[in-house]
Amino acid sequence: MSFKNEWEQHKQNGGSPGLQLNQATTPDLGPGGGRRTDGSGWLVVKDEELGKIGHAAFGLYQGLKKNADIENAGDKAAITRAAAHLSAHSFLLGKALGRTAEVWGSQLKTVMQGCAHISNHLDYSKSSQKEEDRKIGAQILGKDGTALPPSKISRLLG
């Protein structure tokens, strides 16, 4: 059902014109299941989870660089020679082999850049989030100068 049809059906059923879509709760899908919440609808991300994902991305980058990068492994020269040799003997495979090596290198660089971006971004996110938490924690203090626990902050905001 399209949104327009769904909206029309909602209005016919006496739906409120003040409907707010941002009030939906976020399900706790648990480990490996997607979003996690602490039950309040707030997204909770644990440093060790970010670290594992960042480490996996870095490991993939390193593995690709070591085992799949024909340009840095010195294999590109061999492939280029083979392509030239085949082309010199009128084999169409020579041109195709050369093009395949070019495309492989280009696609591999794209994947490796993506892995590096993920790893770097998660490292930045971890440190940035810790700094933001520190700043917020320094601003939210109780009457005695100690940091307020989250349960008291929630009551103050609610």
Side-chain angles (χ1 to χ4, degrees):
M1 177 181 287
S2 73
F3 175 77
K4 184 176 180 181
N5 293 340
E6 196 172 340
W7 180 248
E8 291 301 322
Q9 184 179 4
H10 174 73
K11 289 193 304 188
Q12 289 173 0
N13 292 337
S16 167
L19 177 68
Q20 291 184 340
L21 298 177
N22 64 350
Q23 298 300 311
T25 59
T26 306
D28 185 0
L29 300 176
R35 294 177 288 185
R36 292 173 156 275
T37 67
D38 60 2
S40 67
W42 290 91
L43 181 64
V44 176
V45 179
K46 295 181 173 47
D47 282 349
E48 64 271 8
E49 291 171 346
L50 291 177
K52 285 179 186 177
I53 296 168
H55 183 72
F58 180 73
L60 179 58
Y61 175 88
Q62 292 292 83
L64 290 171
K65 186 174 182 176
K66 180 180 177 184
N67 299 311
D69 190 358
I70 59 174
E71 193 167 313
N72 290 332
D75 295 338
K76 186 171 183 181
I79 292 171
T80 303
R81 281 195 310 271
H85 188 69
L86 288 167
S87 294
H89 289 86
S90 300
F91 285 98
L92 295 176
L93 180 61
K95 186 175 180 179
L97 180 60
R99 180 72 180 131
T100 300
E102 287 175 27
V103 171
W104 176 263
S106 172
Q107 296 297 312
L108 181 64
K109 284 179 185 175
T110 300
V111 172
M112 289 172 64
Q113 287 172 349
C115 290
H117 180 73
I118 290 168
S119 180
N120 292 340
H121 182 71
L122 290 177
D123 286 343
Y124 172 77
S125 294
K126 276 178 26 179
S127 63
S128 174
Q129 185 63 42
K130 282 182 182 178
E131 179 60 19
E132 284 300 310
D133 285 349
R134 187 197 62 73
K135 287 178 185 176
I136 291 169
Q139 293 173 0
I140 302 175
L141 300 175
K143 291 179 183 177
D144 60 356
T146 60
L148 289 175
S151 58
K152 288 187 179 179
I153 295 169
S154 294
R155 277 187 248 135
L156 290 172
L157 296 174

